[in-house]
Structure formats: structure tokens, C-alpha cells
Amino acid sequence: MLRIIAIDGPAASGKSSTAGLVAERLGWAHLDSGALYRALTLAALDNIGDAGRGTLKGMGREGWSGPRIVALAEQLPVRLVLLDDVFRPEVAGVDVEEAIRSDRVTRHVSGLAAIPEVRAWVNARQRMAVEGLEVGGGSGGVVVDGRDIGTVVFPEAPLKIFLTATADERARRRLSQRGQTVDGELVRRESQALAARDAADSNRPIAPLKPAPDAVLLDTTALTLEQQVARVVELARGRFPG
Ligand code: DC
């Protein structure tokens, strides 16, 4: 069986950076499930959303309905493509790894991720991607990050990590990543935006953000990226010897 590490946690907790570096050090593949939700959001905004009603709230069943988004995803298609051990999101044959990080996508993604049909589609794609690795046999394992990887998508993963950090610390990291000044007022605003997205992701009825019962909780507030990566690699070496 393929070796899987599930890394979950709130927005800007460093999941994807940590997962990517851990995968690199272990020589494993990396799958960022949020990228698939973001690619679907980008596809929906560009193909269904109209400029005047650019918010999810304003769209009824005929707009951003689950079946319509899934049909669009199949038709374009929205896909994960494995390139050098990293699954990259693609829409209609175009790599969208950069485009999916825009504020416009970030503002709409939680709404889309709360739609049950969309989650079922994304989960199936993730499982297929990982099965493909197993069949191909090229990777020693895969590190998957998201919100529900340890609880819903791969509950059988032998190592599950739940990363946390205070909202203020996550806001500071996000601002400095973007090259913005980390001043008090900006931190406060960013921290509020993150907390709102966490609340939306944690309070939705389907697959809410929460640690799996057997997840290792890792509070990264006082850790550097290097320290958190080293800690996960150490746990991985213990759990997957050889
Ligand atoms: O990790 P991220 O910020 O790129 O994720 C974008 C959104 O996708 C996030 O607000 C919630 C959703 N998401 C999810 O519901 N389940 C996942 N496994 C991954 C992401």
C-alpha cells in the first residue's frame, strides 16, 4: 500500500509549504487539495460567474450549483497533473498554479468548497491521483494537505498531522510572504479575514475543518518553517521506517 501523510489545518498555517518540503525531503509526491478547490473556483468564476454577480451568495441553483460545477470541471477539464512529483492544477490544458492564488479566487473558494457534489468530485480525483501513483510505482509515498484529508479523504493514512498557529501569526506570515509590511493594522485586517475563512471551513455541515482523532497536533506559532518541516520528517521516519 502507498504511504500517505495527511496534513490538515486552517488557512495560512503553512500546510502546503510544509507538505511540499516534507515530500521533497522524503522523495515523495505532493498533492495540495486546496489547489483543486481553487482551480474549480477559478473555472466557475470565469465560465459561470458574471461580473455583476460575482459573489457566490447571489447565485442560485442555476448558477453555482454542484452538478453544474462538476459538469464544467469534466468538460474543461479541471485536472491535477503530476510534474516532477508535484500535482499541479490545470484548467483546459493551462497550468493555473499562479492564477488560483488571486484574492478573487480566495474570496469565493470557501463557498464553493461547501457544496457536497463538489467535495465528492474533488475527493474522487484525489483518490484517483494517489491510486495512479500506486499503479505507476514511481513514488515512495505521497504527502497530501488540506482540511479533511485525515478525517474524510484518506482516514487510513498512517501519519496525520494537524497544524495550528494563532490567527495573528498566520496573518503576519501571509503578509510577509506577499512582501507587504507587517504593520499592526494590516495584521489585524488579515487576521480577521483568515478567521472568517476558518469559521466558514469549520462550521460547514460537510467535512468541517477538524483534527482526526489520531492526528498529531503541531502548534507552529513559535516554530520556523524549517523547524516544522524537520518535526514532520522526524515523525515520518518513525512511522515509515526504511
Ligand atoms: O489551503 P487553501 O487556502 O488553498 O484552501 C482553499 C479553500 O479550499 C479553503 O478555504 C477550504 C477549501 N478546502 C477544503 O474545503 N478542503 C480541503 N481538503 C482543502 C481546501
Side-chain angles (χ1 to χ4, degrees):
M1 212 197 82
L2 196 83
R3 301 183 290 179
I4 301 176
I5 299 175
I7 303 186
D8 291 301
S13 56
K15 295 179 304 290
S16 296
S17 322
T18 304
L21 287 166
V22 168
E24 217 175 277
R25 284 195 202 168
L26 297 173
W28 291 14
H30 173 215
L31 194 166
D32 166 6
S33 61
L36 205 43
Y37 286 102
R38 286 174 177 272
L40 284 170
T41 304
L42 180 69
L45 284 168
D46 286 350
N47 292 277
I48 307 175
D50 63 56
R53 299 194 314 155
T55 65
L56 190 59
K57 258 192 192 139
M59 298 194 184
R61 289 225 122 252
E62 75 292 352
W64 279 30
S65 75
R68 182 149 181 207
I69 290 169
V70 168
L72 181 70
E74 295 281 346
Q75 179 205 328
L76 285 168
V78 176
R79 298 196 304 149
L80 284 173
V81 178
L82 187 63
L83 193 75
D84 294 335
D85 268 350
V86 178
F87 284 98
R88 298 184 66 99
E90 220 183 69
V91 175
V94 176
D95 186 300
V96 292
E97 178 56 46
E98 300 281 314
I100 59 171
R101 309 288 161 196
S102 69
D103 281 349
R104 174 171 165 254
V105 169
T106 302
R107 273 199 311 277
H108 290 87
V109 64
S110 279
L112 178 134
I115 302 174
E117 292 92 341
V118 169
R119 299 203 70 84
W121 187 87
V122 169
N123 292 351
R125 293 287 133 166
Q126 292 184 67
R127 293 186 188 116
M128 278 165 57
V130 167
E131 271 163 31
L133 286 174
E134 237 165 337
V135 172
S139 293
V142 60
V143 186
V144 187
D145 72 272
R147 303 290 189 291
D148 62 344
I149 308 307
T151 50
V152 176
V153 188
F154 296 115
E156 74 281 19
L159 178 58
K160 305 184 181 90
I161 312 281
F162 194 86
L163 292 184
T164 57
T166 61
D168 278 1
E169 176 57 25
R170 288 184 282 128
R172 271 183 226 110
R173 289 178 193 170
R174 173 118 322 165
L175 291 171
S176 56
Q177 244 174 25
R178 287 193 202 131
Q180 287 178 263
T181 14
V182 183
D183 87 15
E185 178 54 21
L186 276 180
V187 170
R188 202 180 58 77
R189 260 192 279 150
E190 185 64 28
S191 166
Q192 276 176 352
L194 288 173
R197 191 143 67 93
D198 292 345
D201 294 338
S202 307
N203 298 323
R204 67 184 175 215
I206 176 167
L209 167 68
K210 63 167 188 216
D214 55 344
V216 177
L217 301 184
L218 191 57
D219 184 344
T220 71
T221 306
L223 299 183
T224 62
L225 180 60
E226 172 52 35
Q227 286 170 327
Q228 68 197 52
V229 169
R231 179 78 187 112
V232 179
V233 168
E234 181 189 313
L235 288 167
R237 297 218 196 275
R239 200 62 61 93
F240 305 100

PDB file of all heavy atoms in Angstrom, residues 8 11-12 15-16 32-35 37-38 101 109-110 113 119 126 145-149 174 197 201 204, ligand 1:
ATOM      1  N   ASP A   8      -3.424  18.508   7.705  1.00  0.00           N
ATOM      2  CA  ASP A   8      -4.579  19.405   7.691  1.00  0.00           C
ATOM      3  C   ASP A   8      -4.321  20.599   8.599  1.00  0.00           C
ATOM      4  O   ASP A   8      -3.426  20.563   9.454  1.00  0.00           O
ATOM      5  CB  ASP A   8      -5.836  18.647   8.165  1.00  0.00           C
ATOM      6  CG  ASP A   8      -6.284  17.590   7.155  1.00  0.00           C
ATOM      7  OD1 ASP A   8      -6.573  17.974   6.010  1.00  0.00           O
ATOM      8  OD2 ASP A   8      -6.315  16.394   7.508  1.00  0.00           O
ATOM      9  N   ALA A  11      -6.392  28.046   7.321  1.00  0.00           N
ATOM     10  CA  ALA A  11      -5.781  28.851   6.257  1.00  0.00           C
ATOM     11  C   ALA A  11      -4.463  29.461   6.731  1.00  0.00           C
ATOM     12  O   ALA A  11      -4.358  29.913   7.880  1.00  0.00           O
ATOM     13  CB  ALA A  11      -6.745  29.970   5.856  1.00  0.00           C
ATOM     14  N   ALA A  12      -3.476  29.444   5.842  1.00  0.00           N
ATOM     15  CA  ALA A  12      -2.168  30.072   6.101  1.00  0.00           C
ATOM     16  C   ALA A  12      -1.436  29.490   7.311  1.00  0.00           C
ATOM     17  O   ALA A  12      -0.637  30.179   7.947  1.00  0.00           O
ATOM     18  CB  ALA A  12      -2.314  31.588   6.248  1.00  0.00           C
ATOM     19  N   LYS A  15       0.545  24.706   5.743  1.00  0.00           N
ATOM     20  CA  LYS A  15       0.352  23.304   5.328  1.00  0.00           C
ATOM     21  C   LYS A  15       1.051  22.977   4.019  1.00  0.00           C
ATOM     22  O   LYS A  15       1.791  22.016   3.930  1.00  0.00           O
ATOM     23  CB  LYS A  15      -1.128  22.996   5.091  1.00  0.00           C
ATOM     24  CG  LYS A  15      -2.024  23.068   6.259  1.00  0.00           C
ATOM     25  CD  LYS A  15      -3.457  22.757   5.837  1.00  0.00           C
ATOM     26  CE  LYS A  15      -3.983  23.639   4.738  1.00  0.00           C
ATOM     27  NZ  LYS A  15      -4.242  25.024   5.079  1.00  0.00           N
ATOM     28  N   SER A  16       0.760  23.800   2.999  1.00  0.00           N
ATOM     29  CA  SER A  16       1.276  23.449   1.670  1.00  0.00           C
ATOM     30  C   SER A  16       2.788  23.590   1.602  1.00  0.00           C
ATOM     31  O   SER A  16       3.459  22.739   1.017  1.00  0.00           O
ATOM     32  CB  SER A  16       0.624  24.306   0.590  1.00  0.00           C
ATOM     33  OG  SER A  16      -0.745  24.013   0.570  1.00  0.00           O
ATOM     34  N   ASP A  32      -1.659  19.104  -3.136  1.00  0.00           N
ATOM     35  CA  ASP A  32      -2.297  20.192  -2.384  1.00  0.00           C
ATOM     36  C   ASP A  32      -3.774  20.192  -2.778  1.00  0.00           C
ATOM     37  O   ASP A  32      -4.120  20.632  -3.876  1.00  0.00           O
ATOM     38  CB  ASP A  32      -1.586  21.503  -2.771  1.00  0.00           C
ATOM     39  CG  ASP A  32      -2.333  22.752  -2.348  1.00  0.00           C
ATOM     40  OD1 ASP A  32      -3.357  22.649  -1.649  1.00  0.00           O
ATOM     41  OD2 ASP A  32      -1.889  23.853  -2.737  1.00  0.00           O
ATOM     42  N   SER A  33      -4.632  19.664  -1.889  1.00  0.00           N
ATOM     43  CA  SER A  33      -6.039  19.531  -2.283  1.00  0.00           C
ATOM     44  C   SER A  33      -6.722  20.887  -2.423  1.00  0.00           C
ATOM     45  O   SER A  33      -7.647  21.046  -3.222  1.00  0.00           O
ATOM     46  CB  SER A  33      -6.801  18.661  -1.282  1.00  0.00           C
ATOM     47  OG  SER A  33      -6.776  19.256  -0.015  1.00  0.00           O
ATOM     48  N   GLY A  34      -6.257  21.888  -1.672  1.00  0.00           N
ATOM     49  CA  GLY A  34      -6.836  23.233  -1.788  1.00  0.00           C
ATOM     50  C   GLY A  34      -6.684  23.765  -3.206  1.00  0.00           C
ATOM     51  O   GLY A  34      -7.526  24.527  -3.691  1.00  0.00           O
ATOM     52  N   ALA A  35      -5.610  23.348  -3.889  1.00  0.00           N
ATOM     53  CA  ALA A  35      -5.372  23.827  -5.249  1.00  0.00           C
ATOM     54  C   ALA A  35      -6.488  23.375  -6.188  1.00  0.00           C
ATOM     55  O   ALA A  35      -6.851  24.094  -7.125  1.00  0.00           O
ATOM     56  CB  ALA A  35      -4.017  23.327  -5.754  1.00  0.00           C
ATOM     57  N   TYR A  37      -9.694  22.806  -5.220  1.00  0.00           N
ATOM     58  CA  TYR A  37     -10.854  23.663  -4.920  1.00  0.00           C
ATOM     59  C   TYR A  37     -10.665  25.040  -5.547  1.00  0.00           C
ATOM     60  O   TYR A  37     -11.601  25.657  -6.067  1.00  0.00           O
ATOM     61  CB  TYR A  37     -11.056  23.791  -3.404  1.00  0.00           C
ATOM     62  CG  TYR A  37     -11.624  22.533  -2.790  1.00  0.00           C
ATOM     63  CD1 TYR A  37     -10.811  21.644  -2.094  1.00  0.00           C
ATOM     64  CD2 TYR A  37     -12.970  22.224  -2.917  1.00  0.00           C
ATOM     65  CE1 TYR A  37     -11.318  20.478  -1.542  1.00  0.00           C
ATOM     66  CE2 TYR A  37     -13.495  21.060  -2.371  1.00  0.00           C
ATOM     67  CZ  TYR A  37     -12.665  20.192  -1.685  1.00  0.00           C
ATOM     68  OH  TYR A  37     -13.175  19.039  -1.155  1.00  0.00           O
ATOM     69  N   ARG A  38      -9.441  25.527  -5.507  1.00  0.00           N
ATOM     70  CA  ARG A  38      -9.164  26.850  -6.086  1.00  0.00           C
ATOM     71  C   ARG A  38      -9.297  26.813  -7.610  1.00  0.00           C
ATOM     72  O   ARG A  38      -9.830  27.744  -8.217  1.00  0.00           O
ATOM     73  CB  ARG A  38      -7.763  27.312  -5.691  1.00  0.00           C
ATOM     74  CG  ARG A  38      -7.673  27.759  -4.241  1.00  0.00           C
ATOM     75  CD  ARG A  38      -6.243  28.063  -3.840  1.00  0.00           C
ATOM     76  NE  ARG A  38      -6.167  28.555  -2.478  1.00  0.00           N
ATOM     77  CZ  ARG A  38      -6.286  29.840  -2.141  1.00  0.00           C
ATOM     78  NH1 ARG A  38      -6.434  30.755  -3.072  1.00  0.00           N
ATOM     79  NH2 ARG A  38      -6.241  30.216  -0.878  1.00  0.00           N
ATOM     80  N   ARG A 101      -4.125  31.725  -6.918  1.00  0.00           N
ATOM     81  CA  ARG A 101      -3.764  32.387  -5.650  1.00  0.00           C
ATOM     82  C   ARG A 101      -4.309  33.808  -5.564  1.00  0.00           C
ATOM     83  O   ARG A 101      -3.994  34.530  -4.624  1.00  0.00           O
ATOM     84  CB  ARG A 101      -2.235  32.416  -5.467  1.00  0.00           C
ATOM     85  CG  ARG A 101      -1.553  31.067  -5.650  1.00  0.00           C
ATOM     86  CD  ARG A 101      -1.816  30.113  -4.504  1.00  0.00           C
ATOM     87  NE  ARG A 101      -1.542  28.732  -4.908  1.00  0.00           N
ATOM     88  CZ  ARG A 101      -1.954  27.666  -4.248  1.00  0.00           C
ATOM     89  NH1 ARG A 101      -2.667  27.791  -3.144  1.00  0.00           N
ATOM     90  NH2 ARG A 101      -1.686  26.459  -4.673  1.00  0.00           N
ATOM     91  N   VAL A 109     -13.594  30.776  -2.630  1.00  0.00           N
ATOM     92  CA  VAL A 109     -13.333  29.337  -2.580  1.00  0.00           C
ATOM     93  C   VAL A 109     -14.069  28.607  -1.445  1.00  0.00           C
ATOM     94  O   VAL A 109     -14.541  27.484  -1.631  1.00  0.00           O
ATOM     95  CB  VAL A 109     -11.802  29.048  -2.569  1.00  0.00           C
ATOM     96  CG1 VAL A 109     -11.123  29.586  -1.342  1.00  0.00           C
ATOM     97  CG2 VAL A 109     -11.509  27.573  -2.736  1.00  0.00           C
ATOM     98  N   SER A 110     -14.226  29.256  -0.274  1.00  0.00           N
ATOM     99  CA  SER A 110     -14.905  28.563   0.836  1.00  0.00           C
ATOM    100  C   SER A 110     -16.351  28.242   0.483  1.00  0.00           C
ATOM    101  O   SER A 110     -16.861  27.181   0.854  1.00  0.00           O
ATOM    102  CB  SER A 110     -14.891  29.419   2.107  1.00  0.00           C
ATOM    103  OG  SER A 110     -13.669  29.293   2.749  1.00  0.00           O
ATOM    104  N   ALA A 113     -16.369  25.294  -1.762  1.00  0.00           N
ATOM    105  CA  ALA A 113     -15.924  24.075  -1.066  1.00  0.00           C
ATOM    106  C   ALA A 113     -16.987  23.537  -0.105  1.00  0.00           C
ATOM    107  O   ALA A 113     -16.834  22.450   0.443  1.00  0.00           O
ATOM    108  CB  ALA A 113     -14.621  24.354  -0.308  1.00  0.00           C
ATOM    109  N   ARG A 119     -17.348  18.535  -3.344  1.00  0.00           N
ATOM    110  CA  ARG A 119     -16.429  17.810  -2.452  1.00  0.00           C
ATOM    111  C   ARG A 119     -16.287  16.356  -2.906  1.00  0.00           C
ATOM    112  O   ARG A 119     -15.197  15.799  -2.910  1.00  0.00           O
ATOM    113  CB  ARG A 119     -16.894  17.875  -0.994  1.00  0.00           C
ATOM    114  CG  ARG A 119     -16.979  19.285  -0.432  1.00  0.00           C
ATOM    115  CD  ARG A 119     -16.892  19.295   1.086  1.00  0.00           C
ATOM    116  NE  ARG A 119     -15.558  18.946   1.539  1.00  0.00           N
ATOM    117  CZ  ARG A 119     -14.550  19.817   1.637  1.00  0.00           C
ATOM    118  NH1 ARG A 119     -14.722  21.083   1.327  1.00  0.00           N
ATOM    119  NH2 ARG A 119     -13.361  19.418   2.040  1.00  0.00           N
ATOM    120  N   GLN A 126      -8.752  13.109  -5.978  1.00  0.00           N
ATOM    121  CA  GLN A 126      -7.559  12.917  -5.138  1.00  0.00           C
ATOM    122  C   GLN A 126      -7.234  11.436  -4.991  1.00  0.00           C
ATOM    123  O   GLN A 126      -6.089  11.022  -5.084  1.00  0.00           O
ATOM    124  CB  GLN A 126      -7.794  13.496  -3.745  1.00  0.00           C
ATOM    125  CG  GLN A 126      -7.907  14.985  -3.709  1.00  0.00           C
ATOM    126  CD  GLN A 126      -8.027  15.455  -2.276  1.00  0.00           C
ATOM    127  OE1 GLN A 126      -7.102  15.343  -1.492  1.00  0.00           O
ATOM    128  NE2 GLN A 126      -9.183  15.962  -1.925  1.00  0.00           N
ATOM    129  N   ASP A 145      -2.144  17.638   1.524  1.00  0.00           N
ATOM    130  CA  ASP A 145      -2.552  18.633   2.516  1.00  0.00           C
ATOM    131  C   ASP A 145      -3.905  19.242   2.180  1.00  0.00           C
ATOM    132  O   ASP A 145      -4.306  19.295   1.020  1.00  0.00           O
ATOM    133  CB  ASP A 145      -1.475  19.713   2.701  1.00  0.00           C
ATOM    134  CG  ASP A 145      -1.366  20.668   1.527  1.00  0.00           C
ATOM    135  OD1 ASP A 145      -0.623  20.368   0.582  1.00  0.00           O
ATOM    136  OD2 ASP A 145      -2.042  21.717   1.557  1.00  0.00           O
ATOM    137  N   GLY A 146      -4.624  19.644   3.244  1.00  0.00           N
ATOM    138  CA  GLY A 146      -5.955  20.225   3.047  1.00  0.00           C
ATOM    139  C   GLY A 146      -6.645  20.513   4.364  1.00  0.00           C
ATOM    140  O   GLY A 146      -6.032  20.989   5.328  1.00  0.00           O
ATOM    141  N   ARG A 147      -7.965  20.239   4.395  1.00  0.00           N
ATOM    142  CA  ARG A 147      -8.760  20.478   5.599  1.00  0.00           C
ATOM    143  C   ARG A 147      -9.359  19.183   6.142  1.00  0.00           C
ATOM    144  O   ARG A 147      -9.705  19.102   7.308  1.00  0.00           O
ATOM    145  CB  ARG A 147      -9.931  21.443   5.302  1.00  0.00           C
ATOM    146  CG  ARG A 147      -9.555  22.796   4.726  1.00  0.00           C
ATOM    147  CD  ARG A 147      -8.862  23.647   5.753  1.00  0.00           C
ATOM    148  NE  ARG A 147      -8.668  25.027   5.307  1.00  0.00           N
ATOM    149  CZ  ARG A 147      -7.841  25.404   4.328  1.00  0.00           C
ATOM    150  NH1 ARG A 147      -7.131  24.513   3.691  1.00  0.00           N
ATOM    151  NH2 ARG A 147      -7.718  26.682   4.001  1.00  0.00           N
ATOM    152  N   ASP A 148      -9.555  18.216   5.242  1.00  0.00           N
ATOM    153  CA  ASP A 148     -10.295  16.999   5.615  1.00  0.00           C
ATOM    154  C   ASP A 148      -9.557  15.749   5.145  1.00  0.00           C
ATOM    155  O   ASP A 148     -10.169  14.716   4.907  1.00  0.00           O
ATOM    156  CB  ASP A 148     -11.693  17.027   4.965  1.00  0.00           C
ATOM    157  CG  ASP A 148     -11.627  17.044   3.436  1.00  0.00           C
ATOM    158  OD1 ASP A 148     -10.545  17.345   2.880  1.00  0.00           O
ATOM    159  OD2 ASP A 148     -12.652  16.740   2.801  1.00  0.00           O
ATOM    160  N   ILE A 149      -8.253  15.840   4.966  1.00  0.00           N
ATOM    161  CA  ILE A 149      -7.515  14.707   4.413  1.00  0.00           C
ATOM    162  C   ILE A 149      -7.483  13.548   5.421  1.00  0.00           C
ATOM    163  O   ILE A 149      -7.787  12.406   5.070  1.00  0.00           O
ATOM    164  CB  ILE A 149      -6.072  15.126   4.002  1.00  0.00           C
ATOM    165  CG1 ILE A 149      -6.127  16.357   3.095  1.00  0.00           C
ATOM    166  CG2 ILE A 149      -5.349  13.962   3.321  1.00  0.00           C
ATOM    167  CD1 ILE A 149      -7.026  16.222   1.888  1.00  0.00           C
ATOM    168  N   ARG A 174       1.484  35.483   6.192  1.00  0.00           N
ATOM    169  CA  ARG A 174       0.890  35.712   4.873  1.00  0.00           C
ATOM    170  C   ARG A 174       1.331  37.058   4.306  1.00  0.00           C
ATOM    171  O   ARG A 174       1.685  37.172   3.144  1.00  0.00           O
ATOM    172  CB  ARG A 174      -0.636  35.645   5.012  1.00  0.00           C
ATOM    173  CG  ARG A 174      -1.356  36.020   3.798  1.00  0.00           C
ATOM    174  CD  ARG A 174      -2.243  35.014   3.129  1.00  0.00           C
ATOM    175  NE  ARG A 174      -1.889  33.625   3.045  1.00  0.00           N
ATOM    176  CZ  ARG A 174      -2.759  32.671   2.719  1.00  0.00           C
ATOM    177  NH1 ARG A 174      -4.005  32.967   2.507  1.00  0.00           N
ATOM    178  NH2 ARG A 174      -2.381  31.432   2.614  1.00  0.00           N
ATOM    179  N   ARG A 197     -12.549  32.934   7.203  1.00  0.00           N
ATOM    180  CA  ARG A 197     -12.477  31.757   6.316  1.00  0.00           C
ATOM    181  C   ARG A 197     -12.414  30.476   7.163  1.00  0.00           C
ATOM    182  O   ARG A 197     -13.058  29.480   6.840  1.00  0.00           O
ATOM    183  CB  ARG A 197     -11.264  31.874   5.389  1.00  0.00           C
ATOM    184  CG  ARG A 197     -11.258  30.845   4.286  1.00  0.00           C
ATOM    185  CD  ARG A 197     -10.728  31.398   2.971  1.00  0.00           C
ATOM    186  NE  ARG A 197      -9.319  31.738   3.005  1.00  0.00           N
ATOM    187  CZ  ARG A 197      -8.346  30.906   2.645  1.00  0.00           C
ATOM    188  NH1 ARG A 197      -8.634  29.680   2.250  1.00  0.00           N
ATOM    189  NH2 ARG A 197      -7.097  31.296   2.660  1.00  0.00           N
ATOM    190  N   ASP A 201     -14.969  27.362   7.049  1.00  0.00           N
ATOM    191  CA  ASP A 201     -14.497  25.994   6.789  1.00  0.00           C
ATOM    192  C   ASP A 201     -14.781  25.058   7.973  1.00  0.00           C
ATOM    193  O   ASP A 201     -14.948  23.858   7.794  1.00  0.00           O
ATOM    194  CB  ASP A 201     -12.985  25.993   6.485  1.00  0.00           C
ATOM    195  CG  ASP A 201     -12.654  26.707   5.172  1.00  0.00           C
ATOM    196  OD1 ASP A 201     -13.558  26.819   4.312  1.00  0.00           O
ATOM    197  OD2 ASP A 201     -11.505  27.168   5.004  1.00  0.00           O
ATOM    198  N   ARG A 204     -19.057  24.427   8.431  1.00  0.00           N
ATOM    199  CA  ARG A 204     -19.911  23.865   7.384  1.00  0.00           C
ATOM    200  C   ARG A 204     -20.338  22.452   7.801  1.00  0.00           C
ATOM    201  O   ARG A 204     -19.596  21.746   8.494  1.00  0.00           O
ATOM    202  CB  ARG A 204     -19.162  23.847   6.043  1.00  0.00           C
ATOM    203  CG  ARG A 204     -17.999  22.901   6.033  1.00  0.00           C
ATOM    204  CD  ARG A 204     -17.217  22.970   4.734  1.00  0.00           C
ATOM    205  NE  ARG A 204     -16.045  22.122   4.835  1.00  0.00           N
ATOM    206  CZ  ARG A 204     -14.878  22.379   4.278  1.00  0.00           C
ATOM    207  NH1 ARG A 204     -14.697  23.475   3.587  1.00  0.00           N
ATOM    208  NH2 ARG A 204     -13.888  21.548   4.405  1.00  0.00           N
TER     209      ARG A 204
HETATM  210  O1   DC B   1      -5.492  25.594   1.589  1.00  0.00           O
HETATM  211  P1   DC B   1      -6.151  26.662   0.705  1.00  0.00           P
HETATM  212  O2   DC B   1      -6.256  28.006   1.352  1.00  0.00           O
HETATM  213  O3   DC B   1      -5.547  26.735  -0.650  1.00  0.00           O
HETATM  214  O4   DC B   1      -7.647  26.131   0.507  1.00  0.00           O
HETATM  215  C1   DC B   1      -8.597  26.863  -0.193  1.00  0.00           C
HETATM  216  C2   DC B   1     -10.001  26.550   0.308  1.00  0.00           C
HETATM  217  O5   DC B   1     -10.377  25.245  -0.101  1.00  0.00           O
HETATM  218  C3   DC B   1     -10.210  26.615   1.804  1.00  0.00           C
HETATM  219  O6   DC B   1     -10.774  27.847   2.199  1.00  0.00           O
HETATM  220  C4   DC B   1     -11.151  25.493   2.111  1.00  0.00           C
HETATM  221  C5   DC B   1     -11.126  24.613   0.905  1.00  0.00           C
HETATM  222  N1   DC B   1     -10.535  23.293   1.167  1.00  0.00           N
HETATM  223  C6   DC B   1     -11.358  22.334   1.683  1.00  0.00           C
HETATM  224  O7   DC B   1     -12.516  22.616   1.985  1.00  0.00           O
HETATM  225  N2   DC B   1     -10.896  21.076   1.856  1.00  0.00           N
HETATM  226  C7   DC B   1      -9.633  20.759   1.541  1.00  0.00           C
HETATM  227  N3   DC B   1      -9.202  19.495   1.711  1.00  0.00           N
HETATM  228  C8   DC B   1      -8.750  21.746   1.034  1.00  0.00           C
HETATM  229  C9   DC B   1      -9.243  23.020   0.868  1.00  0.00           C
END
